[in-house]
Amino acid sequence: MNKAKPYEISKRLVYDAYKQVKANGGADGIDRQSIEDFERDLKGNLYKVWNRMSSGSYFPPAVLGVKIPKSDGGERLLGIPTVADRIAQTVVKLTVEPTMEPYFHEDSYGYRPNKSATDAIGVARKRCWRYDWVIDLDIKGFFDHLDHNLAMKAVRKHVKESWAILYIERWLKAPMQQGESLINRDLGTPQGGVISPLLANLFLHYAFDEWMRRNHPNIPFERYADDVVLHCKSEKQAQFIKDRVAKRLMQCGLELHPRKTRIVYCQDDDRRQSYPINEFDFLGYTFRKRGCRTKAGKLFVGFSPAVSDKAKKEIRKTIRGWRIHLWSGATLRSIAKEINPVVRGWINYYGEYYRSELRFSLQQIDAYLIRWVKTKYKRLRGRQVKAARTVRQLSQQAPELFAHWKAGFAR
């Protein structure tokens, strides 16, 4: 007779979690096991996850610490779980997220169903027209300083499944492997974990969102994970709110970055006050005064978002890294098939507002295609003008071939 498991977790839920992890991809954890390796004994490996979680004996392995460069020259430390652990975390996420989601603030946009970064940018855009001042909020090392006790207090308030509470606490305490060192953690939740964004949203729901709703309901904001923009009527109000938020976050074990948190004046045709800071970056977009056109065709200077210089630099860096001009064995169609998904993603995201700002960066693709045809065809070697004309003619004859051609960004 089979003894019942202490916790009721369905095998179907574990399988659904595996499918989601497979779809999302991701790097290997400390065991260096890839999704493909895991699938060599899929049934057995999924059974192990289910069996251990159902019996209460699942203990997450250490996450693999990986440093990646940040656009400002610093480094961001990611914590990469193993494939099995990502599946286990997804089991919990699928269970608890639906019960948490209705409580979250309408202006919290990060890692939530049916909300996106472009939604946040669109709302911020409209509010910048109505409010003259912005607080560009930067929480210093948020994911590294999340207080475990406060996080678990919020978890227990919303999560009814005792097994989910048990495993969330274990994930918070799981060590990190960096090189030869195993680092125990009593603060933070690793960026890279499946459960981390949900815990971050829950923590900031109480540390910031709900506190703002109770104490400053007249101050609108947009929050995407730990990126926050607040809107104020005056510089004096902005300074007051900034100081109040700083004190609130200190109560929750967090602090504002003293250099990156700034008060910004939304300067445009109708707002001409002199102020040293009149632009800010949010989710890969720069908000600043720009030449705009009304629906009737009238030109004016408005305060609007467009792809940021940092994002454009990263786009060009990626294009350079493809080294298309060296793909001599490829065809135009195979090149397009390889790069179009990435280029389409750039256009869909960064082209949402002030699309023309993408033009120069995306036309770098054609610069490499010109070099490619010069390498590919002997008759075009050393003939820059003719090679450029060839690529231009191709973009006119087959505009659907490359995503940036289809979007109107041919050189």
Side-chain angles (χ1 to χ4, degrees):
M1 182 176 176
N2 291 331
K3 186 177 179 181
K5 299 288 185 184
Y7 302 122
E8 289 187 18
I9 302 171
S10 75
K11 292 179 179 177
R12 180 70 199 187
L13 181 60
V14 175
Y15 184 71
D16 288 344
Y18 148 73
K19 287 196 296 183
Q20 197 169 110
V21 168
K22 179 179 172 66
N24 291 338
D28 305 346
I30 60 166
D31 60 359
R32 302 299 179 185
Q33 185 184 52
S34 66
I35 287 282
E36 292 74 20
D37 296 332
F38 186 89
E39 289 175 330
R40 290 195 178 98
D41 183 18
L42 181 60
K43 186 176 179 180
N45 285 327
L46 290 180
Y47 178 81
K48 285 179 189 176
V49 173
W50 170 81
N51 187 46
R52 290 171 183 173
M53 291 189 78
S54 298
S55 63
S57 63
Y58 180 78
F59 287 89
V63 295
L64 178 65
V66 177
K67 291 181 179 179
I68 61 170
K70 294 170 66 175
S71 58
D72 61 4
E75 291 182 320
R76 175 178 285 112
L77 182 62
L78 300 184
I80 310 299
T82 63
V83 173
D85 196 42
R86 293 207 296 274
I87 293 170
Q89 289 189 36
T90 305
V91 167
V92 171
K93 179 175 179 285
L94 290 173
T95 301
V96 305
E97 186 176 55
T99 61
M100 290 184 187
E101 181 59 30
Y103 291 93
F104 289 154
H105 195 283
E106 64 179 356
D107 282 315
S108 166
Y109 295 90
Y111 311 107
R112 293 183 60 190
N114 304 315
K115 285 184 176 282
S116 69
T118 51
D119 291 338
I121 292 160
V123 173
R125 172 175 170 257
K126 291 178 180 178
R127 285 174 175 164
C128 284
W129 298 340
R130 300 199 304 268
Y131 292 80
D132 294 352
W133 297 85
V134 157
I135 307 171
D136 178 14
L137 210 68
D138 188 287
I139 302 174
K140 188 177 180 181
F142 168 69
F143 282 90
D144 296 329
H145 295 95
L146 183 143
D147 185 286
H148 288 181
N149 291 330
L150 290 178
M152 288 309 301
K153 183 179 178 181
V155 167
R156 292 187 183 97
K157 180 180 175 68
H158 289 277
V159 178
K160 305 307 177 191
E161 296 82 2
S162 58
W163 59 272
I165 296 172
L166 173 71
Y167 294 132
I168 288 172
E169 190 160 25
R170 288 179 184 175
W171 279 313
L172 282 173
K173 295 177 180 178
M176 177 178 286
Q177 182 81 43
Q178 280 189 268
E180 299 298 318
S181 302
L182 192 64
I183 302 167
N184 291 317
R185 297 183 303 111
D186 54 11
L187 276 178
T189 180
Q191 286 182 273
V194 173
I195 203 70
S196 293
L198 185 60
L199 294 180
N201 269 339
L202 182 62
F203 189 94
L204 284 174
H205 173 73
Y206 287 104
F208 179 78
D209 302 353
E210 188 65 10
W211 179 83
M212 285 292 295
R213 187 188 65 78
R214 289 197 313 268
N215 294 278
H216 303 287
N218 61 324
I219 304 295
F221 65 86
E222 300 81 40
R223 182 176 68 77
Y224 192 97
D226 58 334
D227 284 339
V228 191
V229 170
L230 301 93
H231 303 269
C232 298
K233 291 289 188 183
S234 67
E235 181 185 3
K236 184 177 179 181
Q237 185 185 54
Q239 188 61 58
F240 172 76
I241 294 296
K242 176 174 169 283
D243 293 342
R244 287 272 291 152
V245 170
K247 289 176 184 176
R248 169 59 182 172
L249 293 179
M250 283 184 67
Q251 293 172 353
C252 301
L254 301 170
E255 64 174 308
L256 294 181
H257 196 293
R259 180 172 56 83
K260 295 180 180 179
T261 297
R262 308 178 307 158
I263 293 174
V264 182
Y265 180 57
C266 303
Q267 198 175 65
D268 59 21
D269 262 350
D270 297 322
R271 298 175 289 191
R272 302 189 178 190
Q273 180 178 327
S274 177
Y275 193 75
I277 304 172
N278 46 42
E279 66 177 57
F280 68 94
D281 283 4
F282 183 49
L283 304 177
Y285 276 76
T286 296
F287 287 68
R288 64 171 176 82
K289 63 179 181 180
R290 304 176 187 277
C292 302
R293 192 184 297 271
T294 66
K295 291 181 179 179
K298 183 181 177 182
L299 291 173
F300 69 100
V301 175
F303 193 85
S304 296
V307 57
S308 69
D309 288 343
K310 287 180 182 178
K312 288 188 282 189
K313 185 178 178 181
E314 285 301 311
I315 288 172
R316 294 193 296 270
K317 181 180 176 182
T318 300
I319 292 169
R320 283 198 306 274
W322 287 335
R323 299 171 67 84
I324 292 170
H325 60 295
L326 299 180
W327 297 8
S328 56
T331 64
L332 270 180
R333 193 164 297 280
S334 65
I335 294 172
K337 185 178 180 181
E338 184 71 24
I339 72 172
N340 273 352
V342 177
V343 177
R344 200 175 291 117
W346 290 333
I347 294 168
N348 289 343
Y349 183 70
Y350 294 114
E352 185 74 17
Y353 302 102
Y354 223 92
R355 191 184 183 92
S356 61
E357 280 291 313
L358 278 173
R359 181 173 300 279
F360 176 76
S361 296
L362 293 184
Q363 284 182 342
Q364 301 307 301
I365 298 171
D366 283 4
Y368 282 95
L369 289 176
I370 291 168
R371 294 174 66 181
W372 177 80
V373 298
K374 286 165 64 179
T375 303
K376 181 81 171 176
Y377 303 107
K378 288 182 180 180
R379 62 185 175 82
L380 294 175
R381 287 177 188 171
R383 306 186 70 175
Q384 177 71 17
V385 174
K386 194 168 184 179
R389 189 184 305 123
T390 299
V391 171
R392 186 165 58 251
Q393 288 171 348
L394 287 168
S395 70
Q396 294 167 350
Q397 293 164 5
E400 303 282 322
L401 184 57
F402 284 94
H404 70 293
W405 289 356
K406 185 177 180 180
F409 294 122
R411 189 164 177 168

